[in-house]
Amino acid sequence: MISPACVLDVQDLHVSFSTEEGTVPVLKGLSYSLAKGKVLAVVGESGSGKTVHALSLLRLLPPTAHIDSGKILFDGKDLVSLSPSSLRKLRGARISMIFQDPMSSLNPVLTIGEQLTETILAHRKISKLRAKALAVRLLKKVGIADAAKRYDQYPFQFSGGMCQRVMIAMALALEPDVLIADEPTTALDVTIQAQILRLIKELQAQAGMSAVFITHNLALVADVADEVLVLYGGLCMEQAPVHTIFEKPLHPYTQGLLHSLVSIRQKADFLPAIPGNPPVPGQECPGCPFAPRCPRALKKCFKERPPLFEQDGHKVACWLLEEKA
Ligand SMILES: Nc1ncnc2c1ncn2[C@@H]1O[C@H](COP(=O)(O)OP(=O)(O)O)[C@@H](O)[C@H]1O
Ligand SMILES: [Mg+2]
């Protein structure tokens, strides 16, 4: 049973890829729940499984990937076993996604307006004229000046930041319950990044939408997220309210990430990145995936995977927390 305040409940999700070297597990038991009207940031280094997790939510994984086990509960249904036709109805209408590269998500031979209107008409039984009026309103809402004129232009006439605004308009067109944004600002320059983040946050709050905000950059989440989940090697290392993550991180990995951030802010000459490399999928130790890089690892950490110890809504997968739990 999932609580009414929870819109999305991911339970022990295991996803793997079939490769020439055999089956490679990428998500190894990811669990979280997303509360109504809240933003959960999923933060992790490149290769930690952020995009695979996002694609799993809507079953948009490539054919070589499979969901081995676990549940993704949304509105009383398990998305893992939902029929393709029911899933199609949910995509866009109830759960929407924004991807990293706005340029490649738009069709270059259709006008911006045609693409927006098409999305609206695919899910709503309204006239073309009303769909067009709604599309123009949406373009205005995401801050595109001269929206009626811009409606008839093609993606190449838009900058990267404007294309991402269009993608946001498209994701919001059907007033979804959940917005999944996979590194939505990574392809943009820093000032535009800040504008786009503010826009997503404003629109999310206005609409009372829930959102999963995915990023490799912990610095970006402070102003956006209510809750943060730190992903490493396909596993949740730590999850807590955003202020707890920044003020009282408990996992040595989260502490390392924050330490690097502080050094960037202080413009230190020497940037103490966390020594070592992220685990290579399929070649991890049986214990905690962070153990080989962890300055405080115990013998046990290499042998046994720690469970998520939880106290007052703060979850940490670390044996150092065992006694305190
Ligand atoms: N098409 C694929 N074939 C095989 N392995 C893949 C494929 N796509 C992703 N992976 C594996 O899944 C891991 C997680 O990828 P991804 O979710 O894209 O990482 P992130 O978004 O966190 O950077 C990668 O390290 C890679 O090994
Ligand atoms: Mg990714």
Side-chain angles (χ1 to χ4, degrees):
M1 188 60 200
I2 84 172
S3 94
C6 160
V7 282
L8 187 68
D9 195 27
V10 178
Q11 297 181 358
D12 202 21
L13 188 64
H14 289 254
V15 178
S16 60
F17 277 89
S18 302
T19 68
E20 283 174 6
E21 285 89 49
T23 304
V24 175
V26 170
L27 293 183
K28 297 157 199 154
L30 182 65
S31 300
Y32 66 79
S33 50
L34 175 65
K36 190 168 164 40
K38 299 289 182 196
V39 180
L40 170 75
V42 175
V43 182
E45 279 173 278
S46 177
S48 57
K50 303 184 297 297
T51 296
V52 168
H53 135 263
L55 296 176
S56 305
L57 297 181
L58 282 179
R59 300 237 312 269
L60 292 171
L61 287 164
T64 51
H66 26 97
I67 297 178
D68 300 318
S69 59
K71 287 185 176 165
I72 302 169
L73 300 177
F74 173 77
D75 200 16
K77 298 179 192 86
D78 183 6
L79 303 186
V80 173
S81 53
L82 206 62
S83 71
S85 64
S86 307
L87 258 180
R88 264 196 301 278
K89 281 189 205 133
L90 282 184
R91 284 189 200 126
R94 308 282 314 275
I95 307 180
S96 275
M97 245 190 223
I98 313 174
F99 293 99
Q100 176 172 338
D101 183 0
M103 287 296 192
S104 64
S105 304
L106 287 165
N107 186 335
V109 300
L110 293 178
T111 66
I112 294 293
E114 281 166 338
Q115 299 187 54
L116 253 175
T117 311
E118 227 172 58
T119 305
I120 296 166
L121 288 174
H123 289 276
R124 283 173 70 170
K125 290 190 173 52
I126 56 173
S127 69
K128 250 190 161 163
L129 212 64
R130 282 191 58 202
K132 177 174 175 176
L134 176 58
V136 173
R137 268 209 309 280
L138 280 164
L139 287 177
K140 278 189 193 149
K141 198 169 181 175
V142 296
I144 303 231
D146 226 352
K149 188 177 134 217
R150 289 294 199 167
Y151 179 93
D152 289 316
Q153 291 186 338
Y154 289 87
F156 77 88
Q157 293 168 294
F158 279 52
S159 67
M162 279 167 65
C163 282
Q164 196 53 294
R165 284 172 192 267
V166 172
M167 294 313 299
I168 294 168
M170 227 176 257
L172 297 177
L174 305 167
E175 298 173 4
D177 303 83
V178 176
L179 175 72
I180 300 160
D182 187 5
E183 310 235 25
T185 63
T186 306
L188 308 171
D189 71 53
V190 177
T191 22
I192 309 291
Q193 274 190 18
Q195 287 172 14
I196 296 287
L197 274 186
R198 227 174 292 129
L199 177 67
I200 294 175
K201 181 67 195 156
E202 262 171 44
L203 296 172
Q204 173 272 329
Q206 268 172 30
M209 227 172 8
S210 310
V212 180
F213 181 83
I214 297 169
T215 178
H216 66 275
N217 185 351
L218 186 57
L220 284 185
V221 310
D223 301 326
V224 180
D226 296 294
E227 183 95 8
V228 179
L229 186 156
V230 179
L231 191 67
Y232 187 83
L235 280 166
C236 171
M237 297 284 107
E238 181 158 14
Q239 185 184 344
V242 64
H243 56 88
T244 309
I245 288 285
F246 280 90
E247 285 157 25
K248 245 181 78 187
L250 292 176
H251 199 288
Y253 178 57
T254 317
Q255 290 168 352
L257 286 178
L258 278 163
H259 196 61
S260 325
L261 276 188
V262 171
S263 311
I264 294 171
R265 289 217 182 99
Q266 291 171 346
K267 294 199 169 51
D269 293 335
F270 171 66
L271 179 62
I274 304 170
N277 294 309
V280 177
Q283 298 175 16
E284 302 93 337
C285 70
C288 169
F290 187 60
R293 293 169 85 185
C294 182
R296 292 159 65 199
L298 313 168
K299 269 193 192 139
K300 186 178 190 176
C301 303
F302 291 89
K303 293 186 192 142
E304 237 181 288
R305 187 157 290 168
L308 270 178
F309 297 106
E310 178 172 2
Q311 205 171 37
D312 305 327
H314 190 163
K315 298 176 188 163
V316 193
C318 178
W319 287 121
L320 296 170
L321 272 290
E322 186 179 22
E323 276 153 34
K324 295 183 191 158

